[in-house]
Amino acid sequence: MRITDARVIVTSPGRNFVTLKIVTDEGVTGVGDATLNGRELAVASYLTDHVIPLLIGRDPARIEDTWQYLYKGAYWRRGPVTMSAIAAVDTALWDIKGKVAGLPVYQLLGGRSREGVTVYGHANGENVDDVLTEVARYRDLGYRAVRVQTAVPGLEGTYGVSKDKLFYEPADAALPGETAWSTERYLGFTPSVFARVREEFGPELRLLHDVHHRLTPIEAGRLGLALEPYALTWMEDPVPAELQEGFRLIRAHTRTPIAVGEVFNSVWDCHTLITEQLIDYIRATVVHAGGITHLRRIFDLAALYHVRSGSHGATDLSPVCMAAALHLDVSIPNFGLQEYMRHTPETDAVFPHGYHFEDGYLHPSEEPGLGVDIDEELAAAYPYKPAYLPVSRLMDGTVHSW
Ligand code: EZ4
Ligand code: CO
């Protein structure tokens, strides 16, 4: 079997998605997600101009060899654009391999390790009462885990808190919007939110919180300590993670579990975090961390150090990425949690898929391959629209970490 064609499909059914479709001489096709939020066209060009010409004529069965060829052969390694492009190729090749074998991809990864993939949803509100209503809504939908984010009183626009509820979308402007940040107000307020949520919902519901990289290690230690009475499943992205050693300081000050990795694109972004047991959950994804092949490598390393998976699953990760993530989630030994932000009906229509939510779990498709496709005709009806994530500034106007 040979690859005869590959094309990049850019579509915006409410938000932008980049999808790679690989076609073979035997008519079997595969899809891979290549969406990089706010930088979509850079990956599209990387694929069209630099990767697709190398794929034509290759044997689609050689997944590992193709991965190594694209990673090592290009001289320039790593980075979100390169790794999202490699991910798209890798994901599409796993899809093809599954279809050729007549098996869902999780069967090729060793089969099921669990009955379903536990997911968490996002409860966010303008104030505490509002967020309590949202947590109740997710509990009533069957969710066993909920991320809780509340606007900080006195701050204009808190990242991660939106007016839309089930379909939250942070990349919302043709040029970046701005949000304000005050560590003092945030640290003073946040523990009181979790006190109320625990009081209302009891000890069993798993609670999570995303700091969106906005603290220093010692501030994160203070927040983690203050949140200990409310037994969070994790505190996410407490600090920007370029300085992996910085997490030693957080660890020294709190027993609140730490999750990080939604912007990581390689095992080299987290090898110190994992091998020094500085984190509890690794949130890297299929699309941004080199596909199923590389993400499995990261999860295997994590398993040796008591670190579980907790993959990012926001709306900018397309249903193709979600489908791929679920095959990994259901098969690996050290699965932790999967983030699940629902896509809009428009997006679901462009990407017909067989995975489904039931009783707090997502279940991968049982169809051969990934069990997801792209309706190219429908996709063409939604042209690309530039959309950026907002920039955060301190109260004095300084650009702040996001
Ligand atoms: O900021 O997906 O945990 N989820 C998040 C998301 C991310 C966006 C970035 O593209 O932090 O809202
Ligand atoms: Co996050």
PDB file of all heavy atoms in Angstrom, residues 120 122 147 149 159 209-213 234 236-237 259-263 283 312-314 339 402, ligand 2:
ATOM      1  N   TYR A 120     -13.810  15.280  32.795  1.00  0.00           N
ATOM      2  CA  TYR A 120     -14.293  16.403  33.607  1.00  0.00           C
ATOM      3  C   TYR A 120     -14.776  17.519  32.702  1.00  0.00           C
ATOM      4  O   TYR A 120     -14.276  17.713  31.602  1.00  0.00           O
ATOM      5  CB  TYR A 120     -13.226  16.893  34.584  1.00  0.00           C
ATOM      6  CG  TYR A 120     -12.022  17.586  33.990  1.00  0.00           C
ATOM      7  CD1 TYR A 120     -12.001  18.982  33.835  1.00  0.00           C
ATOM      8  CD2 TYR A 120     -10.894  16.870  33.623  1.00  0.00           C
ATOM      9  CE1 TYR A 120     -10.887  19.630  33.318  1.00  0.00           C
ATOM     10  CE2 TYR A 120      -9.784  17.512  33.098  1.00  0.00           C
ATOM     11  CZ  TYR A 120      -9.778  18.884  32.949  1.00  0.00           C
ATOM     12  OH  TYR A 120      -8.675  19.524  32.429  1.00  0.00           O
ATOM     13  N   HIS A 122     -16.290  21.781  32.510  1.00  0.00           N
ATOM     14  CA  HIS A 122     -15.926  23.103  33.026  1.00  0.00           C
ATOM     15  C   HIS A 122     -17.136  23.810  33.617  1.00  0.00           C
ATOM     16  O   HIS A 122     -18.049  24.175  32.877  1.00  0.00           O
ATOM     17  CB  HIS A 122     -15.445  24.003  31.901  1.00  0.00           C
ATOM     18  CG  HIS A 122     -14.103  23.661  31.371  1.00  0.00           C
ATOM     19  ND1 HIS A 122     -13.355  24.550  30.656  1.00  0.00           N
ATOM     20  CD2 HIS A 122     -13.366  22.530  31.462  1.00  0.00           C
ATOM     21  CE1 HIS A 122     -12.209  23.975  30.319  1.00  0.00           C
ATOM     22  NE2 HIS A 122     -12.196  22.746  30.780  1.00  0.00           N
ATOM     23  N   ARG A 147     -14.164  20.968  36.690  1.00  0.00           N
ATOM     24  CA  ARG A 147     -13.203  22.065  36.865  1.00  0.00           C
ATOM     25  C   ARG A 147     -13.989  23.309  37.251  1.00  0.00           C
ATOM     26  O   ARG A 147     -14.993  23.625  36.611  1.00  0.00           O
ATOM     27  CB  ARG A 147     -12.437  22.299  35.562  1.00  0.00           C
ATOM     28  CG  ARG A 147     -11.303  23.286  35.695  1.00  0.00           C
ATOM     29  CD  ARG A 147     -10.677  23.617  34.349  1.00  0.00           C
ATOM     30  NE  ARG A 147     -11.283  24.813  33.779  1.00  0.00           N
ATOM     31  CZ  ARG A 147     -10.740  25.542  32.799  1.00  0.00           C
ATOM     32  NH1 ARG A 147      -9.589  25.175  32.256  1.00  0.00           N
ATOM     33  NH2 ARG A 147     -11.345  26.611  32.329  1.00  0.00           N
ATOM     34  N   GLN A 149     -14.024  27.413  37.877  1.00  0.00           N
ATOM     35  CA  GLN A 149     -13.373  28.712  37.640  1.00  0.00           C
ATOM     36  C   GLN A 149     -14.393  29.817  37.912  1.00  0.00           C
ATOM     37  O   GLN A 149     -15.523  29.742  37.411  1.00  0.00           O
ATOM     38  CB  GLN A 149     -12.931  28.847  36.186  1.00  0.00           C
ATOM     39  CG  GLN A 149     -12.085  27.727  35.630  1.00  0.00           C
ATOM     40  CD  GLN A 149     -10.707  27.597  36.237  1.00  0.00           C
ATOM     41  OE1 GLN A 149     -10.298  26.499  36.640  1.00  0.00           O
ATOM     42  NE2 GLN A 149      -9.974  28.699  36.321  1.00  0.00           N
ATOM     43  N   TYR A 159      -9.605  35.115  32.522  1.00  0.00           N
ATOM     44  CA  TYR A 159      -9.425  34.064  31.523  1.00  0.00           C
ATOM     45  C   TYR A 159      -9.988  32.749  32.064  1.00  0.00           C
ATOM     46  O   TYR A 159      -9.813  32.406  33.222  1.00  0.00           O
ATOM     47  CB  TYR A 159      -7.933  33.866  31.194  1.00  0.00           C
ATOM     48  CG  TYR A 159      -7.734  32.885  30.064  1.00  0.00           C
ATOM     49  CD1 TYR A 159      -7.897  33.276  28.742  1.00  0.00           C
ATOM     50  CD2 TYR A 159      -7.426  31.553  30.322  1.00  0.00           C
ATOM     51  CE1 TYR A 159      -7.752  32.383  27.699  1.00  0.00           C
ATOM     52  CE2 TYR A 159      -7.278  30.648  29.287  1.00  0.00           C
ATOM     53  CZ  TYR A 159      -7.445  31.071  27.983  1.00  0.00           C
ATOM     54  OH  TYR A 159      -7.308  30.173  26.948  1.00  0.00           O
ATOM     55  N   HIS A 209      -8.974  22.767  39.404  1.00  0.00           N
ATOM     56  CA  HIS A 209      -8.886  24.210  39.173  1.00  0.00           C
ATOM     57  C   HIS A 209      -7.693  24.512  38.278  1.00  0.00           C
ATOM     58  O   HIS A 209      -6.632  23.907  38.423  1.00  0.00           O
ATOM     59  CB  HIS A 209      -8.750  24.956  40.506  1.00  0.00           C
ATOM     60  CG  HIS A 209      -8.649  26.438  40.347  1.00  0.00           C
ATOM     61  ND1 HIS A 209      -9.676  27.198  39.848  1.00  0.00           N
ATOM     62  CD2 HIS A 209      -7.627  27.300  40.596  1.00  0.00           C
ATOM     63  CE1 HIS A 209      -9.299  28.470  39.795  1.00  0.00           C
ATOM     64  NE2 HIS A 209      -8.063  28.555  40.240  1.00  0.00           N
ATOM     65  N   ASP A 210      -7.896  25.460  37.332  1.00  0.00           N
ATOM     66  CA  ASP A 210      -6.854  25.824  36.365  1.00  0.00           C
ATOM     67  C   ASP A 210      -6.326  27.220  36.697  1.00  0.00           C
ATOM     68  O   ASP A 210      -7.092  28.190  36.700  1.00  0.00           O
ATOM     69  CB  ASP A 210      -7.457  25.802  34.950  1.00  0.00           C
ATOM     70  CG  ASP A 210      -6.401  25.821  33.868  1.00  0.00           C
ATOM     71  OD1 ASP A 210      -5.240  26.161  34.158  1.00  0.00           O
ATOM     72  OD2 ASP A 210      -6.752  25.498  32.703  1.00  0.00           O
ATOM     73  N   VAL A 211      -5.019  27.313  36.965  1.00  0.00           N
ATOM     74  CA  VAL A 211      -4.405  28.607  37.304  1.00  0.00           C
ATOM     75  C   VAL A 211      -3.915  29.322  36.029  1.00  0.00           C
ATOM     76  O   VAL A 211      -3.546  30.502  36.068  1.00  0.00           O
ATOM     77  CB  VAL A 211      -3.253  28.392  38.320  1.00  0.00           C
ATOM     78  CG1 VAL A 211      -2.643  29.708  38.776  1.00  0.00           C
ATOM     79  CG2 VAL A 211      -3.741  27.609  39.544  1.00  0.00           C
ATOM     80  N   HIS A 212      -3.901  28.626  34.903  1.00  0.00           N
ATOM     81  CA  HIS A 212      -3.503  29.228  33.620  1.00  0.00           C
ATOM     82  C   HIS A 212      -2.145  29.918  33.677  1.00  0.00           C
ATOM     83  O   HIS A 212      -1.971  31.019  33.129  1.00  0.00           O
ATOM     84  CB  HIS A 212      -4.581  30.214  33.134  1.00  0.00           C
ATOM     85  CG  HIS A 212      -5.866  29.552  32.753  1.00  0.00           C
ATOM     86  ND1 HIS A 212      -5.980  28.649  31.717  1.00  0.00           N
ATOM     87  CD2 HIS A 212      -7.108  29.633  33.285  1.00  0.00           C
ATOM     88  CE1 HIS A 212      -7.214  28.235  31.621  1.00  0.00           C
ATOM     89  NE2 HIS A 212      -7.927  28.795  32.558  1.00  0.00           N
ATOM     90  N   HIS A 213      -1.182  29.303  34.371  1.00  0.00           N
ATOM     91  CA  HIS A 213       0.221  29.770  34.377  1.00  0.00           C
ATOM     92  C   HIS A 213       0.402  31.152  34.988  1.00  0.00           C
ATOM     93  O   HIS A 213       1.330  31.863  34.612  1.00  0.00           O
ATOM     94  CB  HIS A 213       0.782  29.846  32.954  1.00  0.00           C
ATOM     95  CG  HIS A 213       0.566  28.641  32.105  1.00  0.00           C
ATOM     96  ND1 HIS A 213      -0.248  28.632  30.999  1.00  0.00           N
ATOM     97  CD2 HIS A 213       1.076  27.400  32.176  1.00  0.00           C
ATOM     98  CE1 HIS A 213      -0.224  27.446  30.420  1.00  0.00           C
ATOM     99  NE2 HIS A 213       0.564  26.678  31.115  1.00  0.00           N
ATOM    100  N   TRP A 234      -6.719  18.083  41.133  1.00  0.00           N
ATOM    101  CA  TRP A 234      -5.477  18.757  40.724  1.00  0.00           C
ATOM    102  C   TRP A 234      -5.626  20.254  40.645  1.00  0.00           C
ATOM    103  O   TRP A 234      -6.726  20.794  40.508  1.00  0.00           O
ATOM    104  CB  TRP A 234      -4.930  18.191  39.427  1.00  0.00           C
ATOM    105  CG  TRP A 234      -5.553  18.587  38.104  1.00  0.00           C
ATOM    106  CD1 TRP A 234      -5.880  19.849  37.668  1.00  0.00           C
ATOM    107  CD2 TRP A 234      -5.851  17.705  37.015  1.00  0.00           C
ATOM    108  NE1 TRP A 234      -6.364  19.781  36.382  1.00  0.00           N
ATOM    109  CE2 TRP A 234      -6.353  18.488  35.949  1.00  0.00           C
ATOM    110  CE3 TRP A 234      -5.711  16.322  36.819  1.00  0.00           C
ATOM    111  CZ2 TRP A 234      -6.737  17.942  34.718  1.00  0.00           C
ATOM    112  CZ3 TRP A 234      -6.093  15.785  35.604  1.00  0.00           C
ATOM    113  CH2 TRP A 234      -6.611  16.589  34.572  1.00  0.00           C
ATOM    114  N   GLU A 236      -4.066  23.002  38.174  1.00  0.00           N
ATOM    115  CA  GLU A 236      -3.489  22.921  36.824  1.00  0.00           C
ATOM    116  C   GLU A 236      -2.650  24.147  36.481  1.00  0.00           C
ATOM    117  O   GLU A 236      -3.027  25.271  36.821  1.00  0.00           O
ATOM    118  CB  GLU A 236      -4.649  22.787  35.846  1.00  0.00           C
ATOM    119  CG  GLU A 236      -4.286  22.827  34.391  1.00  0.00           C
ATOM    120  CD  GLU A 236      -5.529  22.564  33.530  1.00  0.00           C
ATOM    121  OE1 GLU A 236      -6.444  21.844  33.995  1.00  0.00           O
ATOM    122  OE2 GLU A 236      -5.600  23.091  32.417  1.00  0.00           O
ATOM    123  N   ASP A 237      -1.540  23.912  35.769  1.00  0.00           N
ATOM    124  CA  ASP A 237      -0.688  24.984  35.257  1.00  0.00           C
ATOM    125  C   ASP A 237      -0.478  26.103  36.276  1.00  0.00           C
ATOM    126  O   ASP A 237      -0.755  27.279  35.998  1.00  0.00           O
ATOM    127  CB  ASP A 237      -1.294  25.580  33.971  1.00  0.00           C
ATOM    128  CG  ASP A 237      -1.218  24.604  32.806  1.00  0.00           C
ATOM    129  OD1 ASP A 237      -0.408  23.656  32.868  1.00  0.00           O
ATOM    130  OD2 ASP A 237      -1.971  24.784  31.831  1.00  0.00           O
ATOM    131  N   ALA A 259      -1.098  19.321  37.978  1.00  0.00           N
ATOM    132  CA  ALA A 259      -1.244  18.877  36.586  1.00  0.00           C
ATOM    133  C   ALA A 259      -0.671  19.955  35.673  1.00  0.00           C
ATOM    134  O   ALA A 259      -0.851  21.150  35.918  1.00  0.00           O
ATOM    135  CB  ALA A 259      -2.713  18.657  36.246  1.00  0.00           C
ATOM    136  N   VAL A 260       0.031  19.532  34.640  1.00  0.00           N
ATOM    137  CA  VAL A 260       0.639  20.499  33.725  1.00  0.00           C
ATOM    138  C   VAL A 260       0.870  19.831  32.374  1.00  0.00           C
ATOM    139  O   VAL A 260       0.937  18.610  32.288  1.00  0.00           O
ATOM    140  CB  VAL A 260       1.970  21.036  34.338  1.00  0.00           C
ATOM    141  CG1 VAL A 260       3.052  19.989  34.360  1.00  0.00           C
ATOM    142  CG2 VAL A 260       2.470  22.279  33.618  1.00  0.00           C
ATOM    143  N   GLY A 261       0.972  20.630  31.297  1.00  0.00           N
ATOM    144  CA  GLY A 261       1.401  20.052  30.027  1.00  0.00           C
ATOM    145  C   GLY A 261       0.579  20.380  28.804  1.00  0.00           C
ATOM    146  O   GLY A 261       0.897  19.895  27.723  1.00  0.00           O
ATOM    147  N   GLU A 262      -0.469  21.223  28.917  1.00  0.00           N
ATOM    148  CA  GLU A 262      -1.300  21.444  27.728  1.00  0.00           C
ATOM    149  C   GLU A 262      -0.552  22.202  26.628  1.00  0.00           C
ATOM    150  O   GLU A 262      -0.960  22.146  25.470  1.00  0.00           O
ATOM    151  CB  GLU A 262      -2.623  22.138  28.078  1.00  0.00           C
ATOM    152  CG  GLU A 262      -2.480  23.538  28.604  1.00  0.00           C
ATOM    153  CD  GLU A 262      -3.825  24.150  28.989  1.00  0.00           C
ATOM    154  OE1 GLU A 262      -4.536  23.549  29.784  1.00  0.00           O
ATOM    155  OE2 GLU A 262      -4.134  25.238  28.485  1.00  0.00           O
ATOM    156  N   VAL A 263       0.542  22.912  26.966  1.00  0.00           N
ATOM    157  CA  VAL A 263       1.331  23.549  25.901  1.00  0.00           C
ATOM    158  C   VAL A 263       2.597  22.757  25.564  1.00  0.00           C
ATOM    159  O   VAL A 263       3.397  23.207  24.740  1.00  0.00           O
ATOM    160  CB  VAL A 263       1.703  25.026  26.230  1.00  0.00           C
ATOM    161  CG1 VAL A 263       0.468  25.846  26.537  1.00  0.00           C
ATOM    162  CG2 VAL A 263       2.710  25.118  27.357  1.00  0.00           C
ATOM    163  N   ARG A 283      -0.562  16.599  31.105  1.00  0.00           N
ATOM    164  CA  ARG A 283      -1.724  16.992  30.289  1.00  0.00           C
ATOM    165  C   ARG A 283      -1.408  17.163  28.804  1.00  0.00           C
ATOM    166  O   ARG A 283      -2.142  17.812  28.069  1.00  0.00           O
ATOM    167  CB  ARG A 283      -2.319  18.293  30.852  1.00  0.00           C
ATOM    168  CG  ARG A 283      -3.077  18.030  32.123  1.00  0.00           C
ATOM    169  CD  ARG A 283      -3.703  19.247  32.746  1.00  0.00           C
ATOM    170  NE  ARG A 283      -4.238  20.233  31.853  1.00  0.00           N
ATOM    171  CZ  ARG A 283      -5.375  20.111  31.155  1.00  0.00           C
ATOM    172  NH1 ARG A 283      -6.099  19.004  31.259  1.00  0.00           N
ATOM    173  NH2 ARG A 283      -5.787  21.075  30.373  1.00  0.00           N
ATOM    174  N   HIS A 312      -5.382  17.407  27.957  1.00  0.00           N
ATOM    175  CA  HIS A 312      -6.126  18.599  27.558  1.00  0.00           C
ATOM    176  C   HIS A 312      -7.218  18.182  26.560  1.00  0.00           C
ATOM    177  O   HIS A 312      -6.978  17.370  25.683  1.00  0.00           O
ATOM    178  CB  HIS A 312      -5.121  19.524  26.870  1.00  0.00           C
ATOM    179  CG  HIS A 312      -5.597  20.893  26.579  1.00  0.00           C
ATOM    180  ND1 HIS A 312      -5.030  21.656  25.587  1.00  0.00           N
ATOM    181  CD2 HIS A 312      -6.552  21.664  27.130  1.00  0.00           C
ATOM    182  CE1 HIS A 312      -5.615  22.843  25.545  1.00  0.00           C
ATOM    183  NE2 HIS A 312      -6.541  22.877  26.478  1.00  0.00           N
ATOM    184  N   GLY A 313      -8.399  18.778  26.684  1.00  0.00           N
ATOM    185  CA  GLY A 313      -9.495  18.434  25.780  1.00  0.00           C
ATOM    186  C   GLY A 313     -10.422  19.609  25.579  1.00  0.00           C
ATOM    187  O   GLY A 313     -11.641  19.456  25.572  1.00  0.00           O
ATOM    188  N   ALA A 314      -9.816  20.795  25.396  1.00  0.00           N
ATOM    189  CA  ALA A 314     -10.624  22.004  25.160  1.00  0.00           C
ATOM    190  C   ALA A 314     -11.171  21.969  23.733  1.00  0.00           C
ATOM    191  O   ALA A 314     -10.827  21.099  22.938  1.00  0.00           O
ATOM    192  CB  ALA A 314      -9.775  23.248  25.395  1.00  0.00           C
ATOM    193  N   GLU A 339      -9.963  15.767  29.952  1.00  0.00           N
ATOM    194  CA  GLU A 339     -10.781  16.978  29.866  1.00  0.00           C
ATOM    195  C   GLU A 339     -11.756  16.829  28.696  1.00  0.00           C
ATOM    196  O   GLU A 339     -11.411  16.293  27.646  1.00  0.00           O
ATOM    197  CB  GLU A 339      -9.875  18.194  29.635  1.00  0.00           C
ATOM    198  CG  GLU A 339     -10.611  19.516  29.621  1.00  0.00           C
ATOM    199  CD  GLU A 339      -9.661  20.699  29.434  1.00  0.00           C
ATOM    200  OE1 GLU A 339      -8.563  20.501  28.898  1.00  0.00           O
ATOM    201  OE2 GLU A 339     -10.039  21.808  29.834  1.00  0.00           O
ATOM    202  N   TRP A 402       0.703  33.950  30.674  1.00  0.00           N
ATOM    203  CA  TRP A 402      -0.572  33.279  30.451  1.00  0.00           C
ATOM    204  C   TRP A 402      -0.329  31.800  30.398  1.00  0.00           C
ATOM    205  O   TRP A 402       0.664  31.371  29.818  1.00  0.00           O
ATOM    206  CB  TRP A 402      -1.199  33.745  29.130  1.00  0.00           C
ATOM    207  CG  TRP A 402      -2.400  32.947  28.830  1.00  0.00           C
ATOM    208  CD1 TRP A 402      -3.637  33.127  29.347  1.00  0.00           C
ATOM    209  CD2 TRP A 402      -2.473  31.825  27.974  1.00  0.00           C
ATOM    210  NE1 TRP A 402      -4.482  32.198  28.867  1.00  0.00           N
ATOM    211  CE2 TRP A 402      -3.797  31.360  28.018  1.00  0.00           C
ATOM    212  CE3 TRP A 402      -1.562  31.132  27.193  1.00  0.00           C
ATOM    213  CZ2 TRP A 402      -4.220  30.259  27.291  1.00  0.00           C
ATOM    214  CZ3 TRP A 402      -1.985  30.053  26.466  1.00  0.00           C
ATOM    215  CH2 TRP A 402      -3.327  29.625  26.525  1.00  0.00           C
TER     216      TRP A 402
HETATM  217 CO    CO B   2      -5.664  24.605  31.143  1.00  0.00          CO
END
